[in-house]
Amino acid sequence: MLKFATALAAAGLLVSSMSTSVSAQPTTPVHDGAPVVRVASPPKSVKPQFKRQRVRLVTNETPGTIIIDTNNKFLYLVETKNRATRYGIGVGREGFGWSGVVKIGRKAEWPTWTPPAEMRVREAAKGHIIPAFQEGGEDNPLGARAMYLYKGGRDTIFRIHGTNQPWTIGLNMSSGCIRMMNKDVIELYDRAPVGTKVIVIGPGNKQGEISFEDRGIDVLRTLFGG
């Protein structure tokens, strides 16, 4: 039993993957009699719970389906009725969340980026000038891979894609697209063909009824494979 517990600890499995950490609030410094407001910088590393895991997922969705839980920042690739691979994601910031049932309409490796005109106007109003077009590559916001989400045969303008800002995983920072770490989006890209059903759970419940339960890390499969 001790050896098994040691193995679990080495694999980082003794701590629940769904747990969150709470840190004490720093005291607010005072300058010239007035408090100084400091804007917190985004974390520069991905929290452990958002790293790729094999989990026990109970669902009636068929193997190969992608379930995106934007509330908890997880993407699941269903493998059986009791198993899935779980990936941490970044999702839309306030006002940019959405829900629905879509499909992967096309895919691209090291995709180019053509931001929507409304995004360029919106960002320009904030003093951020973004290009009308950007070639694919390590500096491209879409990262290493992109899976374009379609509904009724039409592009929704939303994508599952990589990112050159991995510290945004687990946060609400996008304009509605689903961000993944590059190493994760590459793996998902290889496993999810065009036509894959994608269920996005978010504001409005437009995805309809969906049943799934994340029962945590699949310990045996994580340690021994299979």
Side-chain angles (χ1 to χ4, degrees), residues 39-115:
V39 178
S41 299
K44 294 301 181 182
S45 61
V46 179
K47 292 182 179 180
Q49 65 264 34
F50 296 119
K51 294 184 178 180
R52 188 194 318 165
Q53 300 281 5
R54 291 172 169 176
V55 297
R56 295 173 296 134
L57 185 79
V58 179
T59 181
N60 290 324
E61 294 299 325
T62 58
T65 301
I66 292 174
I67 300 173
I68 299 176
D69 180 356
T70 65
N71 297 312
N72 292 302
K73 318 297 189 298
F74 291 125
L75 180 152
Y76 299 91
L77 177 61
V78 178
E79 296 166 353
T80 71
K81 289 185 181 297
N82 298 294
R83 291 178 173 175
T85 298
R86 187 182 74 200
Y87 307 85
I89 57 174
V91 301
R93 60 187 181 271
E94 186 176 357
F96 288 87
W98 62 286
S99 64
V101 179
V102 293
K103 290 185 177 181
I104 295 177
R106 69 181 183 94
K107 309 196 302 182
E109 298 184 14
W110 295 106
T112 59
W113 183 45
T114 305

Side-chain angles (χ1 to χ4, degrees), residues 7-195:
L8 289 180
L13 301 177
L14 287 182
V15 179
S16 170
S17 65
M18 299 292 286
S19 65
T20 56
S21 59
V22 178
S23 58
Q25 295 296 319
T27 56
T28 303
V30 175
H31 179 69
D32 292 336
V36 177
V37 177
R38 292 180 177 174
V39 178
S41 299
K44 294 301 181 182
S45 61
V46 179
K47 292 182 179 180
Q49 65 264 34
F50 296 119
K51 294 184 178 180
R52 188 194 318 165
Q53 300 281 5
R54 291 172 169 176
V55 297
R56 295 173 296 134
L57 185 79
V58 179
T59 181
N60 290 324
E61 294 299 325
T62 58
T65 301
I66 292 174
I67 300 173
I68 299 176
D69 180 356
T70 65
N71 297 312
N72 292 302
K73 318 297 189 298
F74 291 125
L75 180 152
Y76 299 91
L77 177 61
V78 178
E79 296 166 353
T80 71
K81 289 185 181 297
N82 298 294
R83 291 178 173 175
T85 298
R86 187 182 74 200
Y87 307 85
I89 57 174
V91 301
R93 60 187 181 271
E94 186 176 357
F96 288 87
W98 62 286
S99 64
V101 179
V102 293
K103 290 185 177 181
I104 295 177
R106 69 181 183 94
K107 309 196 302 182
E109 298 184 14
W110 295 106
T112 59
W113 183 45
T114 305
E118 57 269 25
M119 176 187 290
R120 297 182 63 217
V121 171
R122 183 173 65 245
E123 294 301 315
K126 302 175 185 177
H128 306 150
I129 304 302
I130 58 177
F133 175 84
Q134 186 171 343
E135 290 286 354
E138 292 184 357
D139 294 331
N140 191 298
L142 296 186
R145 302 287 188 273
M147 287 160 273
Y148 299 78
L149 302 179
Y150 281 55
K151 187 174 181 64
R154 301 183 63 180
D155 190 348
T156 65
I157 78 166
F158 296 120
R159 291 89 173 85
I160 300 170
H161 64 79
T163 181
N164 54 17
Q165 298 176 316
W167 57 87
T168 63
I169 301 303
L171 303 177
N172 297 74
M173 293 191 68
S174 79
S175 295
C177 289
I178 307 301
R179 298 183 182 188
M180 303 178 70
M181 288 186 284
N182 278 332
K183 62 182 180 180
D184 286 348
V185 79
I186 288 172
E187 194 208 54
L188 182 65
Y189 183 98
D190 292 338
R191 299 179 68 188
V194 169

